[in-house]
Amino acid sequence: MTHPFPSDSALYGGIEAGGTKFVCAVGTGPDDLRAEVRFPTTTPQETIRRALDFFRDQQDRLGGAICAVGIASFGPVDPNPASPTFGYITSTPKIGWRNVDLAGEIRQGLNLPVGFDTDVNGAALAEGLWGAAQGLDTFIYLTVGTGIGGGGMVGGRLIHGLLHPEMGHIRIPHDRQADPFEGCCPYHGDCLEGLACGPAIAARWGTRPEDLPPDHPAWALEAHYLALALANFVCTLSPQRIILGGGVMRQHHLFPRIRAEVPELLNGYIQARPILDKEEMQKYIVPPALGARAGVLGAIALARQAADRPNP
Ligand code: ZN
């Protein structure tokens, strides 16, 4: 794979824009994060000002070495550079953040090229460059936590189209006799996120997921829902690898259950070794290699992309 980025001496800024906290960092990659600050996500005005203050201060210290900033944002967002609302956070339920021009404020405030994408596409890009998907051109990254989000690459490009993928909101079979819980998605009720995100587990069983023991029936059900989703993604996107991150996936006993159930659901139809061979499957559905740093490294990776392909 050729190196798609301009210069290894340049520095990049990254903003992991989360619904509860922002993480801003300067560096070039996982072995070189030079400065980092984190603060709670409050109003857009205050939060964006704190990010701008951090990068202006860093630019002064570093003699203007930062050549681009990447933003890996909570969403939904408008990731289409041709759209008048490119870089906006759009229909988020988070109070005050609807229709906020996050990328524009950062670009104008720092006068630098800005890369902008969903947090999960950013994390996927970072895992592709430095983590669990190195060398692959088609893979997905699914995070299972407070919500469920998915991003990834197809043919070496981050997945965009109409907007960006919303893999957490696919509809999956829901046996209401086995699981009477209605689901907690405000839009769809029992979509994947509504049935399988952390708050859904907590609401269904009346206990925080981290307090449920590994042999609790909650986990067989959780693995079943995630396996149904992954079987759909295998059929639609044909990923060469699937990375599962997020707080719920810190329950590592979920991995063997999901790895066992996905091939059962596909039932011999997908003739590919990772699906048919148990050993290969171990390397097919995997945890992230960058762990909790995938978010901010995703933002740095988006900055590297933006420096190479500045938006207008
Ligand atoms: Zn939904």
Side-chain angles (χ1 to χ4, degrees), residues 22 32 114 119 146 149 155 162 188 198 225 254 281:
F22 267 48
D32 176 27
V114 165
D119 44 7
T146 313
L162 186 64
H188 317 114
Y225 288 144
L254 282 170
M281 174 53 79

Side-chain angles (χ1 to χ4, degrees), residues 9-116:
S9 62
L11 283 172
Y12 306 94
I15 303 175
E16 178 188 3
T20 55
K21 72 171 190 303
F22 267 48
V23 182
C24 301
V26 174
T28 58
D31 303 323
D32 176 27
L33 281 180
R34 304 186 186 189
E36 188 176 301
V37 66
R38 46 188 67 213
F39 43 86
T41 307
T42 56
T43 62
Q45 293 80 0
E46 180 183 38
T47 312
I48 292 169
R49 182 184 52 72
R50 290 184 79 166
L52 289 173
D53 285 350
F54 169 77
F55 287 112
R56 285 176 182 142
D57 180 53
Q58 291 296 318
Q59 274 296 52
D60 287 345
R61 284 166 199 251
L62 298 162
I66 302 170
C67 66
V69 174
I71 306 170
S73 178
F74 72 103
V77 301
D78 182 347
N80 175 7
S83 159
T85 52
F86 168 69
Y88 278 59
I89 294 174
T90 55
S91 56
T92 179
K94 189 168 172 60
I95 293 165
W97 282 86
R98 199 170 282 206
N99 301 318
V100 166
D101 182 11
L102 178 56
E105 299 254 358
I106 297 294
R107 183 170 52 235
Q108 287 149 27
L110 299 173
N111 198 24
L112 289 173
V114 165
F116 181 80

Side-chain angles (χ1 to χ4, degrees), residues 124-136:
L125 183 62
E127 291 287 342
L129 273 175
W130 302 302
Q134 287 179 69
L136 305 179

Side-chain angles (χ1 to χ4, degrees), residues 168-171 184-194:
H169 295 270
I170 63 168
R171 315 309 295 259
C184 65
C185 174
Y187 288 88
H188 317 114
D190 63 349
C191 65
L192 174 65
E193 177 173 297

